[in-house]
Amino acid sequence: MKTANFLKIFTLFLAIGITSCTTESTDEGGGNGGANSLVLTASKTRVYNFTLVTFTVNDGNSDVTSSAVISVDGTPISGNASTMSGLGTKNITAVVGTDNTNSLDVVVIEPSFTTKALIEDYTGAWCGWCPRISQGIIDVHNSTNGENVIAVAVHNGDSMAFPLEAQMRSRFGVSGFPTGILNRDADWSAVSGSSMDITQPMALLNTTKSVGLAINSSLSGSSVSATIKVGFDFDTTGMKLVAVLVENGKILPQTNYTNNWGGASTISDFEHNDILRAAFTDVFGNVIPAAEQIGGSEYSVTLSASVPSGTNTADMDVVAFVVDDSGKVVNVQKAAVGVNQDFD
């Protein structure tokens, strides 16, 4: 009798245990997906105003975007892409059948930085055709917004020669003088023996740049200290920082084969500007830490450079620019030594 009752009780507990295990497995959604497995993603989560963003929904096994109804700030959109208009944060949600996805935010911003461009002028006081580019730089700076085109004169074979000029010339394929390199990407074209194509560097200002720079520097004795900030609108990778010291207002004779400066064969009181004198970084760039290249943040570094003997310390500038992983200039900034130039 006792044995029979024991068997009945054991059988009852066994049945309850089996039922409980089966119910728990079903509650965790084991096999057919469910709301917890739907994942909504966006092609971009930080964009400029009026940028198209594409959305995708995955159920953990396959793309189910075509079955999803996607909403921006509660309003369903047609298809899976929407142009983000209006500054601020947009909340994105989606539903497949009766199952909701996660929600995500897309932040819409305006560009934070002015686009600027770089001319590196490979030149020398002995070079008779070099006043062609010197005049071209003056003509650019006299154009509307031309101050946003920043020049650095890399001298060869004269008292202003930069020690690393040969390495730079080799890297950028400079085979003759004068040569102008725009944004470390393209040669600057001449339109005659005396003038340059002004439209070419000016056209570089027509794009939007998501990276900008700020510079604050000071002179102490024969050393310049510069704090350089790099701001990012979006996440980036592979960026490097280049920072150099340039000198202005150096009066030295310049050989001249052009019609500029009255066509004189020697310009005895030629004013040499933008002379590359020293580098705060490697001339091809110091790596910006990957963790610092985050949208909405900035990278800051303080660097120093020694001022070469004979430099006109009363008129010096710091020029800083960011290059991408191919070595091309992304954006550039210039500030006189002792002047705080914020992001603009």
Side-chain angles (χ1 to χ4, degrees), residues 4 14 40 47 55 66 85 117 122 126 129 139 143 158 175 206-207 222 239 243 263 267 291 296 298 311 317-318 332:
L14 181 61
L40 171 67
V47 298
F55 304 102
S66 61
S85 61
Y122 287 82
W126 52 267
W129 293 112
D139 293 340
S143 303
D158 59 28
S175 58
N206 296 333
T207 57
S222 61
M239 298 293 178
I267 308 166
E298 62 184 49
T311 300
D317 297 323
V318 175
V332 58

Side-chain angles (χ1 to χ4, degrees), residues 158-314:
D158 59 28
S159 62
M160 298 166 281
F162 182 62
L164 301 178
E165 176 268 337
Q167 294 180 36
M168 297 174 67
R169 180 161 35 92
S170 175
R171 172 71 68 93
F172 301 115
V174 176
S175 58
F177 292 82
T179 293
I181 305 291
L182 304 178
N183 278 351
R184 293 195 166 179
D185 180 38
D187 286 355
W188 190 9
S189 299
V191 294
S192 72
S194 299
S195 59
M196 303 298 295
D197 179 3
I198 306 307
T199 63
Q200 191 182 0
M202 293 301 296
L204 298 175
L205 305 180
N206 296 333
T207 57
T208 300
K209 299 296 185 180
S210 62
V211 174
L213 299 101
I215 302 170
N216 190 16
S217 64
S218 62
L219 172 67
S220 177
S222 61
S223 179
V224 173
S225 175
T227 297
I228 300 167
K229 297 178 182 180
V230 182
F232 301 90
D233 274 346
F234 308 124
D235 294 355
T236 65
T237 59
M239 298 293 178
K240 294 181 179 181
L241 172 67
V242 182
V244 298
L245 181 70
V246 301
E247 174 191 7
N248 304 300
K250 180 77 82 176
I251 306 300
L252 288 171
Q254 171 69 49
T255 302
N256 180 37
Y257 301 156
T258 74
N259 295 326
N260 304 320
W261 281 271
S265 59
T266 299
I267 308 166
S268 58
D269 57 351
F270 189 85
E271 182 175 326
H272 296 269
N273 293 309
D274 313 308
I275 308 159
L276 177 55
R277 280 307 203 182
F280 297 90
T281 63
D282 187 290
V283 290
F284 304 116
N286 288 1
V287 173
I288 298 174
E292 303 283 354
Q293 300 182 45
I294 305 299
S297 67
E298 62 184 49
Y299 165 67
S300 180
V301 62
T302 299
L303 306 164
S304 62
S306 297
V307 181
S309 176
T311 300
N312 175 22
T313 57

Side-chain angles (χ1 to χ4, degrees), residues 50-196:
F50 304 110
T51 297
L52 184 70
V53 178
T54 302
F55 304 102
T56 303
V57 179
N58 194 289
D59 68 359
N61 297 307
S62 59
D63 187 328
V64 294
T65 307
S66 61
S67 301
V69 177
I70 300 169
S71 298
V72 177
D73 286 339
T75 301
I77 64 173
S78 176
N80 70 315
S82 178
T83 298
M84 299 291 103
S85 61
L87 304 181
T89 300
K90 311 297 180 182
N91 184 249
I92 317 300
T93 57
V95 61
V96 178
T98 59
D99 293 335
N100 295 316
T101 70
N102 58 296
S103 66
L104 57 83
D105 290 336
V106 175
V107 180
V108 183
I109 64 171
E110 291 282 17
S112 303
F113 313 109
T114 301
T115 297
K116 298 182 181 180
L118 178 70
I119 297 172
E120 285 174 299
D121 172 21
Y122 287 82
T123 187
W126 52 267
C127 168
W129 293 112
C130 286
R132 177 174 66 232
I133 289 185
S134 301
Q135 182 62 54
I137 291 170
I138 293 171
D139 293 340
V140 167
H141 288 166
N142 286 336
S143 303
T144 302
N145 296 323
E147 69 279 1
N148 289 331
V149 180
I150 295 167
V152 172
V154 188
H155 278 256
N156 164 278
D158 59 28
S159 62
M160 298 166 281
F162 182 62
L164 301 178
E165 176 268 337
Q167 294 180 36
M168 297 174 67
R169 180 161 35 92
S170 175
R171 172 71 68 93
F172 301 115
V174 176
S175 58
F177 292 82
T179 293
I181 305 291
L182 304 178
N183 278 351
R184 293 195 166 179
D185 180 38
D187 286 355
W188 190 9
S189 299
V191 294
S192 72
S194 299
S195 59
M196 303 298 295

